[in-house]
Every structure is written in C-alpha cells, then in structure tokens.
Amino acid sequence: MTNDSHSGNASNSFEAIYERWLVRQEHFLDELLSAQQTIDEARDEDLRDLVSRVLFHYQQYYDEKSRLGQRDVLLAFSPTWYTSYERSLLWIAGYKPGIVFRLVTESVPDLSDQQRVRMAQMKEATRVEERALNDKLAKIHEIVAAPPFMDAVRRYGRAGHGEIVEDDAVIKSLKSALETVVENANLLRTTMATKLVDLLSSGQAVRFLTAVMQFQLKIRSLGLERDAEKQRELSGGGGGWSPISSRS
C-alpha cells in the first residue's frame, strides 16, 4: 500500500466521521441555545445533564482523533477535512488550549472573584504546558533537519512509489515522537476544558459551551466562504460551478 493511498483512505474515513460529528454539534448547539432561554427556570440536574452530554460529544471527537493520529500522525497535523482558514488557526493538530479562557470570559460575565482567581491559575498552568509542548515540537523539527533523518528520507524515497519503510528506525522514532506530542496536546485541551466546566455553575457552563460551539461553527463557516471565494477566482466566475454551502 502506498503512503498516498494510506493517507487518502484515512482522510476520507475521518472526513465522514467529522461531518457526522458536526451535524450532532449543531443539534447540541440548538439544545444549548434553548436552555439559555429558560436558564433561570431550568433544573440544575437538567442543565448538568446537557453539559455532560456536550462534553461526551467532544470526547468522542478526540477519541477519533487519537485513533487517526495512531494511523497517520502527519495527516492529523494538516487535516484535509478542515478549510484552509481552520488549518491556519491550528496548534499541534487542534485549537490552542488557552483559547477557552477568552471564550469563558466573554460568555460568562458573572464570574465570582474566587472563580477568577482559580481561572487565572489554570490559565498560567496551561501556558506552561503549551510552552513545554512547543519545545518538544521544536526538538522534533531539529531532528527532521538533521543529517540522519535526511538520509532516512532518501532511503524512504528509494523504496519506490512512496512506499512506507516501516523498519526504518529514524522514521518510526519521528512518528512516535509526533504521536506523543499530539496525544499530550489533545489531553491538555480536554483536561483544561473539563476543569473549567467543573469550576462553573451549570448555567455558566451552558453559556460557555454555547460560546465554544458558536466559535467553532463560525470559524468553519468563514473558512467555507473563503474557500468558495478562492474557487470562484480560480474558475474565473464561469458557470457550472456550484458554491460550497456553509453551515450557519
């Protein structure tokens, strides 16, 4: 099996999974928006149940991403199912963990002093972890530029037609290091989001998760619009081309 064929199969498979996940996300966003309208009258257990289901929805996505990373870690770094704009915002195969702090500040104005102090501590801890992962990724980049790796790449090319040299220790070591970095980045994303939700009341958590979903869907919508505009420019505005429909 060639490397291109392997990546293509993995990409097509995850793209289908991601599209189904987005459909469910829009349904959850409808639930969250509905809950926000009656948040003062809603029972706490009902709001917590909704929050738990939304968090599980995100956990399913990261579980699938983890499996993808084990199959093709390079594809995880440049996911073809994302728009060009979405890919431009990625940090180690996903959004930067620290972005949740901006979203919670914007969506939850009634944070208590105690919550703000705890959140500031979490934010600093997240920055430390982000820097550590950046350092690990930089070391991998150094390995890629080193002569032993370039020799392995040449051997990879000589194998013929892009076939994977599974027994090349240098290539395998690089893939393993990248997989570890992606796994740790995903763990940081999910752990920080969960801790943040635990810090919030049920009503605050609903508003925060609503903001997270709206942010992601807005970025995707903008990305689809920009890709469609690029396609129109490439096609010269000729007829017969059907613009990509964006999700609102």
Side-chain angles (χ1 to χ4, degrees):
M1 185 181 198
T2 66
N3 190 32
D4 288 344
S5 176
H6 174 82
S7 295
N9 290 338
S11 176
N12 291 338
S13 174
F14 196 87
E15 183 172 359
I17 291 171
Y18 185 60
E19 286 297 330
R20 291 194 295 270
W21 184 84
L22 281 176
V23 170
R24 293 196 298 274
Q25 187 175 33
E26 289 180 335
H27 291 161
F28 274 121
L29 178 56
D30 288 341
E31 279 197 70
L32 287 166
L33 290 170
S34 177
Q36 277 198 130
Q37 308 232 333
T38 58
I39 207 162
D40 292 332
E41 297 81 31
R43 296 189 308 168
D44 184 73
E45 54 264 39
D46 291 337
L47 295 177
R48 282 295 172 191
D49 175 70
L50 175 56
V51 168
S52 295
R53 287 188 289 115
V54 170
L55 290 178
F56 181 69
H57 167 69
Y58 276 99
Q59 188 60 54
Q60 286 179 311
Y61 173 70
Y62 283 107
D63 288 346
E64 291 291 347
K65 274 188 64 178
S66 177
R67 284 188 278 272
L68 172 70
Q70 293 167 6
R71 292 174 59 192
D72 191 337
V73 68
L74 296 181
L75 182 60
F77 271 89
S78 185
T80 56
W81 49 90
Y82 279 170
T83 64
S84 300
Y85 182 48
E86 286 173 299
R87 286 195 295 272
S88 73
L89 300 176
L90 295 185
W91 172 85
I92 310 184
Y95 289 117
K96 209 166 187 178
I99 198 170
V100 297
F101 297 103
R102 177 172 67 82
L103 291 173
V104 75
T105 300
E106 292 175 352
S107 61
V108 186
D110 59 339
L111 290 168
S112 68
D113 291 341
Q114 185 177 6
Q115 285 176 315
R116 292 183 186 278
V117 169
R118 180 68 185 116
M119 199 165 68
Q121 295 170 341
M122 292 168 58
K123 187 176 183 179
E124 180 56 32
T126 301
R127 285 175 176 166
V128 170
E129 292 292 334
E130 288 176 350
R131 285 196 294 267
L133 287 170
N134 280 333
D135 289 343
K136 290 179 181 178
L137 193 58
K139 289 179 180 178
I140 293 174
H141 288 161
E142 291 175 5
I143 293 172
V144 170
F149 179 78
M150 298 310 296
D151 290 341
V153 169
R154 283 191 285 273
R155 290 195 298 274
Y156 178 92
R158 286 198 298 271
H161 307 295
E163 292 172 359
I164 299 173
V165 186
E166 292 292 355
D167 59 347
D168 195 304
V170 178
I171 297 291
K172 290 179 70 175
S173 175
L174 173 68
K175 289 171 66 178
S176 177
L178 286 172
E179 288 168 7
T180 299
V181 169
V182 171
E183 282 294 315
N184 288 339
N186 286 339
L187 180 62
L188 179 59
R189 277 184 275 264
T190 56
T191 300
M192 277 302 125
T194 301
K195 286 182 178 180
L196 194 51
V197 167
D198 288 342
L199 181 66
L200 303 174
S201 69
S202 59
Q204 290 173 329
V206 166
R207 293 199 295 273
F208 165 60
L209 292 174
T210 301
V212 170
M213 286 195 170
Q214 288 176 324
F215 169 79
Q216 289 180 304
L217 291 172
K218 181 179 180 181
I219 292 299
R220 181 155 184 84
S221 178
L222 285 172
L224 289 169
E225 289 174 7
R226 291 184 182 188
D227 283 355
E229 180 61 30
K230 288 179 183 177
Q231 185 62 36
R232 282 194 293 272
E233 292 173 358
L234 290 173
S235 64
W241 179 79
S242 177
I244 302 172
S245 60
S246 63
R247 297 179 184 275
S248 56

